[in-house]
Amino acid sequence: MDAEGLVYVEQGKLRHLFKEKLINVGLPEIQADKTADLLIFADARGIHSHGSVRMQYYAERIVKKGYNLQPKLKFTQQGPSSGTYFGDNAIGHYVAFEAMEEAIALAQSSGIGMVGVQEMGHSGAIGYFVEHAAQQGMVALTVCQSDPMVVPFGGTEPYFGTNPIAFASPRASGNPILFDMATTVQAWGKILDARSKQKNIPDTWAVDAQGEPTTDPFEVAALLPVAGPKGYGLMMMVDILAGSLLGLPFGKHVTSMYEDLSQYRRLGQFHIVINPAYFGDEAQFLRQVSDMVDELHDIEPAKAFDQVYYPGEIQEEVKKNYAESGIPVARSIYDYLISDISY
Ligand code: NAI
């Protein structure tokens, strides 16, 4: 443990702790395995908002039957390149992964795979799904719904979720490009962090109950979209693709993550997978993406920067560092993971 109260845990051990805890509280093994993978994907890259900090929440929802633990998952191919994947309100990490496998298969056979995921729980750091597709040579995009906590541009009441967007592309050499973002300036977790440290926040992150920008984390009533009307437009796009298009609750009707942990969330996600071989010379495409990265790296960094990174590169560096140091986990969370406490 270090001075900040962090325990550094080897990746394989942490994955094992996640999986065991999920199984112990009642999640079937196959679902626990995939969920543990996703939590490790996040924590190992420094995306700590979607790693071990969520474990107690997932465990509580499992115990309170806020997930369907015996789901009847069903893929229905609706067209040559499209289909819907019914998640039956199982844990989202597992459902969205299985649906991505269907989208990849469609793209392999027809050039494009579009799969709408209907009725699932929270699916975590969604870059995981597109990275998986890119590792199989596919370009992929995924978007998903999240609970309403963001004011529309110019409004005073929360309407959309932090509706994330993730995109990945393979390249001739090196890891895939992985762009993965919430459509808000900052995640809700950052407000909670500021509250716990009694620190002010920049006035660009969130608004108070009157819709006015606030620097007081205790006054925060809703988050702000990234880049004003542009982020607002993006979160609306996400909600249309991952919600309305699939016949699911939309906007402010999307269920809350924390309100009633015994209720199914009925969330949606939308995967788009593109097979580069159907759009031109695949080898040339892969080379061009690699050349693009090289050219970006060659750009002289601005004063406050050490270099130009491609999306996902900083997370890869964190992953390398954690492979040496172990993954930092808050002592309280580590104690929980090794305990018999269910949540
Ligand atoms: P972030 O702001 O840390 O990063 C966003 C993107 O910018 C990443 O692709 C990152 O690689 C890139 N980036 C950051 N700094 C960079 C730099 N200096 N140069 C080049 N690229 C750079 O991510 P954010 O928005 O905080 O999201 C964190 C996670 O939360 C994501 O995994 C997202 O999927 C997840 N999320 C999940 C939700 C859900 O309901 N399932 C809701 C909201 C977010």
Side-chain angles (χ1 to χ4, degrees), residues 47 50 122 124-126 146 162 164 178-182 309 312 314-315:
I47 310 171
H50 286 77
H122 181 246
I126 63 170
S146 112
T162 55
L178 178 54
F179 177 58
D180 180 15
M181 61 165 259
Y309 293 93
I314 289 178
Q315 285 76 20

Side-chain angles (χ1 to χ4, degrees), residues 11-37 39-40 55 59 62-63 336-342:
Q11 178 172 320
K13 181 178 177 192
L14 189 59
R15 188 188 186 288
H16 178 74
L17 289 174
F18 288 157
K19 185 174 167 182
E20 287 303 294
K21 180 65 86 181
L22 292 166
I23 290 174
N24 288 342
V25 294
L27 196 65
E29 208 232 325
I30 183 170
Q31 299 183 37
D33 195 59
K34 188 47 65 190
T35 306
D37 249 8
L39 292 167
I40 283 293
M55 268 299 297
I62 290 163
V63 171
Y336 160 70
L337 289 172
I338 59 171
S339 75
D340 292 333
I341 300 165
S342 59

